[in-house]
Amino acid sequence: MTALHSPFEEAAEVTMVHLTGAAAAELTLDPPNWSEQRQLAHRMLDDIFDHLETLRDQPAWQPVPAHVRDSLREPLPRLPQGEERAYQDFLHNVLPYASGNRHPRAWGWVRGNGTPFAMLAEMLAAGMNTHAAGGQQAATYVEEQTIAWLAQVMEMPVGSSGIFVSGGTMANLLGLAVARHAKAGFDVREEGLQGTHQALVVYGSTETHMWAQKSLEFLGLGRRAFRRVPVSENFQIDTEAFQQQVRCDRAAGFRPIAVIANAGTVNTGAIDDILTLKKICEEEDLWLHVDGAFGALLKFSPEYRHLVAGIELADSLAFDLHKWMYLPFEVGCLLVRDAKAHADAFAAQASYLEKANRGMLANGLPFSDRGIELSRGFKALKVWMSLKAYGTETHGQLIAQNVEQAAHLEMLIRKHHKLDLLAPRVMNVVCFRYRPQDHMGVEEMNKINREIVLRLQESGEFVVSGTLLRDDYALRVANTNHRSRMEDFAALVEAVVRHGDDLCSGASPASM
Ligand SMILES: Cc1ncc(COP(=O)(O)O)c(C=O)c1O
């Protein structure tokens, strides 16, 4: 072996011996010494728990410094560096530079924090390393049960079908794929969209998340098939305009198939009038797909579930457990009211996956039949274990707490003469801006507020994001954070005004 000149020499040597199989005739990646592996494992757990326990003392986010970026650009490791070296590199070059969503003062975009317990569940799922397409194994029953529990939380009928996927985008995409298959009027799976059939069109408000555009492109319908219906002052879909557009499209020879209802838009948390949309869908024979990425989780809360009344009537409902159930990435969920329609859109056969009455493939591969993926991990485990550990009650209380914190922030903004609320707050999303003087123009205000968002992030104080509401740039707080306290929101108001005042008194916005 060539001489090693790294501090990890010893560990690397151990690994070399292990991989070259000095003791055994054949290679394996199991540890040569299980008790040493256990020690490393315990140290890893201690380190990550120290990290999580002290999150509040760490920056909310920090950029990756140039020297760390350099260290992460390495030649392909041909020889073993050793587990210790790999772990130390993780500790020093990876762990400190996360995406700024776990901290108590992080409310950017819509991202949950993760929980220590669900992290452990992830570890156990990886330990089991189960292939969760279905078949005779506990994971199948755990996922079916967890889907049934979530259908119950969402007040969807018993027997609704469902699947866990990577996130909201994927859950929504699959929901639209089911809608396309169910409502196209021809066999899309057999014929594809290459034929001479009527062009299919889908509706959703101008506030619909970008997943819709990507999904329509991906499903072969094309961007033009997405009819963007205008919204009211409150950013809710104009239901009359929607119905009129459906009728115009039909008269012009298109085939309307589905509407996407928002139960919590990404920008402001606006909730469409889902009961009216359902009625129109019945009249017009359309599929009702609800994007409840985070809003649907309000169903956990007895105080606030009325806000999303009607989502239980959806033909398909997508939501994210890695948002407002606070679970670690990734896990989203699609529920489909008609289990047959769900399977019809995806189920496929192959001789090498033949369903049997006995053995590992007894009962087939239900999760392969409800989506695109065959190989899939055991995402359900962290959902199942978290629901068992904390119950729906705790989740409902946490969600209510987040809504009440957002209401508190709204109140602080309304009271502050230098802050403007830019959209009605319905649930956990608050959009506002710094406005030092009444006469300041929109462009200048937008520049200042963009800079405030960056300064909040770069100072490590807070992670908030921004968005454009019509022409106004808004600071956006989406509170899906189980670690935040009321005092964090008062601190945010103070910091926004402080950065805004600094900007107005010092660097001119033009130089930003
Ligand atoms: C309303 C809404 N729909 C869909 C998505 C996409 O979800 P994901 O990021 O899990 O793919 C988001 C993400 O924030 C969202 O807010």
Side-chain angles (χ1 to χ4, degrees):
M1 198 168 79
T2 47
L4 289 167
H5 303 287
S6 85
F8 307 103
E9 188 170 344
E10 209 175 298
E13 267 178 35
V14 169
T15 312
M16 282 294 278
V17 169
H18 157 211
L19 288 177
T20 51
E26 284 150 43
L27 272 175
T28 169
L29 291 173
D30 277 339
N33 181 332
W34 284 89
S35 81
E36 274 175 18
Q37 183 92 96
R38 265 171 216 264
Q39 281 169 21
L40 176 63
H42 292 153
R43 196 146 46 85
M44 284 175 165
L45 273 186
D46 282 340
D47 290 343
I48 197 78
F49 273 103
D50 284 349
H51 177 80
L52 292 175
E53 197 179 347
T54 57
L55 275 175
R56 195 169 265 282
D57 308 324
Q58 299 169 34
W61 171 79
Q62 58 184 336
V64 187
H67 73 274
V68 173
R69 291 201 302 264
D70 288 346
S71 315
L72 291 172
R73 263 184 235 113
E74 274 187 290
L76 174 70
R78 292 193 57 251
L79 293 177
Q81 298 177 352
E83 291 173 350
E84 183 63 31
R85 161 81 191 267
Y87 179 52
Q88 291 301 324
D89 281 357
F90 164 78
L91 272 186
H92 295 107
N93 293 334
V94 180
L95 181 60
Y97 309 105
S99 68
N101 56 303
R102 296 154 314 145
H103 194 275
R105 293 184 171 185
W107 308 294
W109 303 276
V110 193
R111 309 183 301 172
N113 309 111
T115 68
F117 183 65
M119 177 195 80
L120 296 175
E122 285 273 63
M123 185 191 71
L124 300 179
M128 275 187 84
N129 192 30
T130 203
H131 182 286
Q136 270 301 330
Q137 57 168 332
T140 304
Y141 297 96
V142 168
E143 184 153 352
E144 292 288 20
Q145 178 63 80
T146 314
I147 293 284
W149 283 342
L150 289 171
Q152 191 180 340
V153 170
M154 296 299 157
E155 301 177 286
M156 297 267 291
V158 173
S160 296
S161 175
I163 185 168
F164 291 117
V165 290
S166 57
T169 298
M170 198 48 113
N172 280 303
L173 166 69
L174 294 191
L176 269 200
V178 182
R180 184 187 64 163
H181 189 259
K183 294 291 187 188
F186 63 96
D187 187 345
V188 186
R189 292 187 67 190
E190 177 67 25
E191 299 182 39
L193 295 170
Q194 318 267 33
T196 53
H197 297 282
Q198 277 176 301
L200 313 177
V201 285
V202 172
Y203 302 79
S205 87
T206 49
E207 289 294 299
T208 307
H209 189 278
M210 72 167 184
W211 71 261
Q213 177 189 316
K214 278 183 156 182
S215 299
L216 287 170
E217 291 166 5
F218 190 73
L219 291 170
L221 300 176
R223 270 208 297 278
R224 239 182 284 148
F226 187 35
R227 303 296 199 237
R228 290 174 194 273
V229 181
V231 289
S232 67
E233 285 251 293
N234 295 341
F235 300 100
Q236 294 169 296
I237 192 167
D238 176 339
T239 51
E240 275 178 28
F242 159 55
Q243 189 157 23
Q244 258 173 26
Q245 174 88 53
V246 170
R247 290 177 177 169
C248 287
D249 282 335
R250 202 166 267 136
F254 294 98
R255 184 179 176 95
I257 58 167
V259 64
I260 300 161
N262 285 300
T265 58
V266 59
N267 269 341
T268 67
I271 300 165
D272 289 336
D273 176 354
I274 292 165
L275 293 171
T276 301
L277 290 176
K278 174 69 184 175
K279 199 164 142 280
I280 297 173
C281 284
E282 281 167 358
E283 286 169 22
E284 305 288 346
D285 188 23
L286 298 178
W287 184 274
L288 176 63
H289 174 77
V290 174
D291 175 9
F294 56 104
L297 283 302
L298 283 168
K299 284 274 190 185
F300 273 110
S301 159
E303 292 102 308
Y304 294 107
R305 66 169 65 112
H306 66 276
L307 292 174
V308 287
I311 66 170
E312 67 280 2
L313 304 173
D315 293 300
S316 50
L317 169 63
F319 51 96
D320 265 338
L321 292 322
H322 62 210
K323 289 186 167 59
W324 224 356
M325 211 183 122
Y326 315 102
L327 293 178
F329 293 107
E330 315 154 336
V331 59
C333 182
L334 173 70
L335 296 177
V336 181
R337 180 175 217 83
D338 177 346
K340 182 172 177 310
H342 192 178
D344 283 351
F346 297 110
Q349 273 82 48
S351 58
Y352 44 84
L353 293 172
E354 195 176 67
K355 190 170 168 176
N357 291 328
R358 292 165 34 219
M360 173 63 215
L361 288 192
N363 300 333
L365 299 173
F367 299 106
S368 166
D369 287 351
R370 294 178 202 170
I372 284 294
E373 291 169 312
L374 175 59
S375 290
R376 52 196 298 278
F378 195 7
K379 291 184 173 67
L381 186 66
K382 61 190 169 194
V383 191
W384 182 77
M385 286 182 68
S386 299
L387 281 171
K388 282 169 72 73
Y390 308 121
T392 57
E393 265 193 39
T394 310
H395 285 99
Q397 284 164 5
L398 281 164
I399 284 168
Q401 177 173 296
N402 286 155
V403 174
E404 279 143 28
Q405 288 165 335
H408 178 67
L409 175 62
E410 176 192 2
M411 184 273 292
L412 296 174
I413 290 164
R414 284 186 187 280
K415 273 180 32 191
H416 205 293
H417 67 287
K418 289 185 181 173
L419 300 176
D420 272 346
L421 194 71
L422 286 182
R425 181 205 57 82
V426 188
M427 44 165 139
N428 61 335
V429 181
V430 185
C431 290
F432 67 109
R433 74 176 161 202
Y434 171 80
R435 182 178 51 93
Q437 304 129 10
D438 286 340
H439 62 267
M440 191 176 261
V442 170
E443 263 187 36
E444 197 176 355
M445 268 189 296
N446 287 357
K447 246 183 199 168
I448 289 177
N449 282 282
R450 277 202 170 89
E451 180 64 19
I452 291 174
V453 167
L454 296 176
R455 291 190 180 193
L456 290 171
Q457 293 173 2
E458 287 171 355
S459 62
E461 292 169 281
F462 295 90
V463 177
V464 301
S465 54
T467 193
L468 266 189
L469 296 180
R470 303 194 171 99
D471 292 330
D472 296 322
Y473 184 82
L475 280 75
R476 197 178 144 281
V477 165
N479 184 18
T480 50
N481 194 322
H482 66 88
R483 300 195 167 109
S484 303
R485 300 182 194 138
M486 281 293 183
E487 72 210 38
D488 294 317
F489 298 90
L492 173 68
V493 165
E494 182 278 318
V496 167
V497 174
R498 171 167 39 85
H499 285 297
D501 287 352
D502 283 355
L503 278 163
C504 289
S505 64
S508 92
S511 69
M512 288 184 267

